[in-house]
Amino acid sequence: MTQGPDVPARIGRVVVKVGTSTLTDADGSIDRPFIADLAAQIAARQAAGQEILLVTSGAIRAGRDRLECRKRPNLPSGAHHAPSFSPDSLPYKQAAAATGQGVLMQTYSEAFAWRNVDCAQILLTRDDLADRRRFLNARNTLLALLSLGVIPVINENDTVAVDAIQFGDNDNLAALVATLVEADLLLILSDVDGLYERPPGTEPDRPNPIISCVSDMNTLQASTGGSTSDLGTGGMSTKVQAARIVTESGIRAVIVRGRRERVVVDVLEGAEIGTQFLPSAEAARLPARKRWIAHSARARGHVVVNTCAVERLMRDGVSLLAVGIVSTGGSFRSGDLIEVRDESGCAFARGLSNYAVSEVRRIQGAHSDQFEGILGYKGFEEVIHRDNLVVENAHRPDRS
């Protein structure tokens, strides 16, 4: 992990992500003064000519605070009673998210209004970004808001989607939004100073410095342990995963302590704080459509290919032919996104299939000149055309 090139002087478009543990005070409640300061910093950078999108957690926490202050209504005898739910249950968390979403948005709206800045609420799910049409609609909406000088305030729609509740605390959502709008930087405000060389708490008698720059995600061996707080659901592992997503799309990422004074302003003015993740030159050349294939779309199935096909796909960037396929999995149709796996089961590529799974099973191992006899029609020569195929950077051979 060596220090990479200097931070570019000009950062045009930024996604700022703030998690629940950073948004809450010592009592575990939403910290309104912190949100006011965060809004002030964002407004200052917007005034300086930068476009800012804010991905925020905290709706469940805000909803819990509101619901815990209320008593269950007394219904007339014989009236229908809704079932009770444990505060740890998924339905209760979704109810808290629905309640807290308005509270959280009102807090942001008031904070930005003090700076004469408008903001807009955007609720997304992973499925919104997995569908190409909805992906483009979301992109157009966000770009329109930015052009109007409005700050998009984005959160996972936890009332209908459970991924962030259970796993990610919006880290992955922030990464997908960054690729969606082709941001220059993903700034993750955490409750730690950055990525440590070792898991925090191990070998307490030895210094454990922050890694200032990660120039190659594939050699990363540092800590991906949990955050210091149990208020959120995202630990360091989800933040590193988010950094990997954006760097593979040509976008830089920074993980830094969110409660550091002037943190947003300092990072966007070029201060080298926290841990910086640098994209490769190859990632920077990845077209927008392939960025969607690589990270936003949800795989509907997979094919397993032989060793020869793996080598050719990784080395030469060719299309995937049926002759190299040995088996299939899942239930996919023509046009669906699928994973390409080696014979050990490791996924190393993703792409849009020209054939449904039932057709692939019939033509696997066959040459294209045999398709008409097998299927009754000629069809495509390749199962996945190279223009619709992305090989993960982590599996590409070193050509240097």
Side-chain angles (χ1 to χ4, degrees):
M1 251 63 80
T2 57
Q3 181 65 40
D6 293 338
V7 175
R10 175 60 182 165
I11 302 173
R13 184 174 296 159
V14 184
V15 173
V16 177
K17 185 268 175 180
V18 59
T20 304
S21 58
T22 304
L23 283 173
T24 48
D25 58 22
D27 296 326
S29 298
I30 296 298
D31 191 338
R32 293 175 182 268
F34 172 81
I35 289 179
D37 181 71
L38 178 63
Q41 294 185 63
I42 291 174
R45 295 319 304 166
Q46 184 192 60
Q50 291 172 315
E51 296 177 333
I52 315 292
L53 302 92
L54 178 63
V55 176
T56 180
S57 301
I60 294 176
R61 181 66 264 175
R64 283 185 185 276
D65 287 346
R66 180 62 60 88
L67 293 174
E68 288 170 2
C69 295
R70 299 178 64 88
K71 293 183 179 180
R72 187 178 172 90
N74 292 321
L75 298 178
S77 177
H80 177 71
H81 289 259
S84 298
F85 293 97
S86 162
D88 294 326
S89 68
L90 184 59
Y92 185 92
K93 290 179 181 179
Q94 290 179 299
T99 305
Q101 216 36 274
V103 176
L104 187 64
M105 195 61 203
Q106 181 182 15
T107 304
Y108 277 115
S109 295
E110 292 174 352
F112 280 112
W114 274 99
R115 280 82 193 172
N116 294 316
V117 173
D118 290 322
C119 63
Q121 182 181 46
I122 304 290
L123 297 178
L124 294 173
T125 68
R126 180 64 182 261
D127 285 342
D128 290 325
L129 304 183
D131 179 90
R132 183 66 177 169
R133 180 179 58 83
R134 290 155 68 185
F135 173 94
L136 293 174
N137 287 341
R139 171 183 166 84
N140 291 337
T141 299
L142 292 173
L143 294 182
L145 289 170
L146 293 176
S147 72
L148 294 168
V150 178
I151 303 293
V153 179
I154 304 161
N155 199 353
E156 178 93 10
N157 191 353
D158 290 330
T159 60
V160 298
V162 301
D163 290 355
I165 292 178
Q166 295 176 326
F167 305 112
D169 201 29
N170 281 340
D171 292 315
N172 285 323
L173 176 63
L176 295 176
V177 169
T179 64
L180 173 71
V181 299
E182 298 182 72
D184 300 305
L185 174 69
L186 170 62
L187 174 56
I188 299 178
L189 304 182
S190 181
D191 57 0
V192 293
D193 293 314
L195 184 64
Y196 292 95
E197 288 191 354
R198 299 188 314 279
T202 62
E203 302 182 67
D205 296 333
R206 289 180 55 201
N208 191 14
I210 295 292
I211 299 169
S212 61
C213 184
V214 177
S215 57
D216 184 358
M217 295 292 293
N218 300 326
T219 62
L220 185 61
Q221 298 295 328
S223 163
T224 55
S227 63
T228 60
S229 170
D230 61 359
L231 291 172
T233 58
M236 185 56 71
S237 61
T238 64
K239 292 169 177 57
V240 172
Q241 183 182 22
R244 180 180 292 277
I245 289 172
V246 297
T247 55
E248 289 182 353
S249 297
I251 301 167
R252 290 192 308 110
V254 173
I255 298 175
V256 66
R257 184 177 292 276
R259 287 187 171 260
R260 184 185 186 277
E261 187 176 1
R262 284 175 44 93
V263 62
V264 174
V265 171
D266 286 349
V267 170
L268 299 191
E269 288 183 346
E272 296 183 5
I273 55 178
T275 301
Q276 178 184 178
F277 298 82
L278 301 179
S280 67
E282 182 179 69
R285 295 193 299 268
L286 197 66
R289 178 177 174 81
K290 287 201 171 185
R291 292 183 186 185
W292 174 77
I293 291 172
H295 301 297
S296 298
R298 191 184 298 273
R300 303 296 181 184
H302 69 268
V303 294
V304 176
V305 299
N306 59 33
T307 302
C308 180
V310 172
E311 292 176 351
R312 291 212 61 202
L313 290 170
M314 291 197 299
R315 183 185 67 237
D316 302 328
V318 297
S319 299
L320 173 62
L321 304 179
V323 68
I325 298 176
V326 297
S327 66
T328 64
S331 178
F332 57 89
R333 298 173 297 178
S334 174
D336 282 348
L337 183 128
I338 61 174
E339 290 182 339
V340 183
R341 302 179 182 178
D342 62 24
E343 292 185 272
S344 70
C346 178
F348 68 93
R350 290 158 61 91
L352 304 178
S353 176
N354 285 328
Y355 293 97
V357 62
S358 59
E359 296 169 312
V360 176
R361 286 173 180 158
R362 295 167 63 188
I363 61 175
Q364 65 186 44
H367 292 277
S368 58
D369 58 8
Q370 299 174 285
F371 289 0
E372 188 169 6
I374 298 172
L375 298 174
Y377 56 90
K378 185 171 179 59
F380 296 91
E381 292 189 356
E382 61 282 312
V383 175
I384 303 177
H385 191 276
R386 63 184 180 183
D387 291 345
N388 294 322
L389 181 70
V390 178
V391 177
E392 293 183 9
N393 291 328
H395 293 86
R396 289 187 182 276
D398 186 357
R399 299 181 184 178
S400 59

